[in-house]
Amino acid sequence: MKRILKGVATAGILALALTGITAGSSSAASKKLIVVGFAQTGSESGWRAANTLSMKAAFSKANGFKLIFNAADNKPEAQIAAVHSFINQRVNAIVIAAVVETGWDNVLKEAKAAKIPVFLEDRTISSAPSLYATWLGDNFLKEGTTAGLWAKQMVGTTPTNMVVIEGTTGSAPAIDRATGFNAAIKGSPIVTLDSQTGNFTRAGGKTVMEGFLQKYPKKIQLLFAQNDDMGLGALDAIKAAGLIPGKDIKIVTIDGTHDGLTALSQGEFNYVVECNPLLGAGVASLVKAVLAGKSVPKANTALDGAFDQAQATAALPTRKY
Ligand code: GYE
């Protein structure tokens, strides 16, 4: 992540989204389709479901693509195997939403040797930028910072015990959101009692929160869940313990899915930072540009907002994911 963001101007993803994708539909049938292998993380969350839909819609036949889709059940080995298989199938381009940041060098070198450009979607990796064409995703560090600044401002001078439910260990969003959040709460009276992974899933969030509530009875006042789904899972555990989410335990999450904003609108969450999953059109434009020999920025960042209760209520009727 750091490597990419350093000194890179982020550029017009909206412009990209608007240009590349429109050409096509009627002439596409007569043209050769661009074969793209997409290695998706899995189907861990509502965010992921929206991201998969967005990618499938953008990489459609009407837009000139043949998409080979693989979901790796959040297993790094399975994901690398999928990329190997894309290389063996001689696809025109490979898109990866990397489960974890590390372990990519060898397979990316193979793709490079086979002259197949690789596009990173959503998550960043720690390999040298020369091993891939470009990345398009959200700014996870900033999301963590926004969540942390809200927490700091919310607690004011009141000593507050916090627990954290982390995303997939070793994933860019888990690493960067923690870094941003921790830096933002520095100097505040927030004490981190515990921090454990819930793998970005509802079931994981519920199990981890149950453990926290047993281990620290009546002590927890704030929960930072690194995505909506884990926060939603935690709600069940909090209610089962006879506590009121949003009141007895304040909750801040990241993503801004329909379900997350609904919980916020109902007062069960207290703040939600947005992470836009609708990246398909932007990625498809980048693929077309690179295959056409155009130069593109190495990093392309989506813009994200944040919501309090009133803003969530206002946004829900037109929320697209
Ligand atoms: O926050 C989480 C998903 O990589 C930004 O992955 C994405 C994260 C998202 O499963 O819900």
Side-chain angles (χ1 to χ4, degrees), residues 118-133:
V118 171
F119 298 79
L120 303 180
E121 187 259 354
D122 164 29
R123 297 186 184 175
T124 50
I125 61 175
S126 57
S127 297
S130 58
L131 289 177
Y132 54 83

Side-chain angles (χ1 to χ4, degrees), residues 208-221:
V208 170
M209 195 65 202
E210 282 166 356
F212 286 161
L213 288 162
Q214 269 171 22
K215 206 162 154 194
Y216 311 100
K218 300 203 175 90
K219 283 221 172 92
I220 304 165
Q221 291 142 339

Side-chain angles (χ1 to χ4, degrees), residues 159-162 219-223 247-250:
T160 301
N161 291 319
M162 175 180 71
K219 283 221 172 92
I220 304 165
Q221 291 142 339
L222 172 63
L223 164 64
K247 292 210 166 65
D248 296 325
I249 299 179
K250 300 275 197 276

